[in-house]
Amino acid sequence: MSDTIFGKIISGEIPSEFIYEDEHCVAINDINPQAPVHVLVIPRRGIPRLVDAEADDQALLGHLMLAAGKVAERLGVDDAFRLIVNNGAGAGQTVFHLHLHIL
């Protein structure tokens, strides 16, 4: 996991301000925002792509969805937001550590 920028952010190797943090994930502002609000929800456990998740990851994946809702509420956009997961380079994924985009 630590070989990606997100792994380095989670480990503290690269400083970042967490908008949200719990035992399973963190949320940070996207450094290249595509909307007025563009936040990334990143699991602490490194899963390269959504298709790489396994049955044991089901609770974590559900947790990420709930965390995204909490983050959206905290940011005041809980009435209308998009949640995006890019899977693979062809879909626009540039960091191969699963993450959710809140826009």
Side-chain angles (χ1 to χ4, degrees):
M1 172 179 78
S2 63
D3 59 338
T4 70
I5 190 168
F6 294 158
K8 292 175 182 178
I9 287 170
I10 290 167
S11 72
E13 189 177 334
I14 296 175
S16 185
E17 181 181 343
F18 295 154
I19 297 169
Y20 174 86
E21 176 179 16
D22 65 27
E23 66 274 11
H24 301 292
C25 64
V26 301
I28 60 173
N29 284 307
D30 193 296
I31 61 169
N32 185 24
Q34 303 298 305
V37 171
H38 189 167
V39 172
L40 307 177
V41 179
I42 308 163
R44 291 183 183 275
R45 190 169 100 62
I47 301 170
R49 302 172 302 154
L50 182 60
V51 298
D52 297 318
E54 299 178 359
D56 289 348
D57 297 315
Q58 183 174 353
L60 175 60
L61 297 175
H63 181 83
L64 293 174
M65 299 293 281
L66 294 173
K70 290 177 186 177
V71 172
E73 184 175 30
R74 185 175 287 181
L75 296 173
V77 296
D78 53 314
D79 283 341
F81 65 95
R82 292 173 46 209
L83 195 57
I84 299 169
V85 176
N86 298 321
N87 185 83
Q93 185 177 6
T94 57
V95 178
F96 287 84
H97 181 132
L98 176 70
H99 55 286
L100 285 66
H101 295 257
I102 301 172
L103 293 107

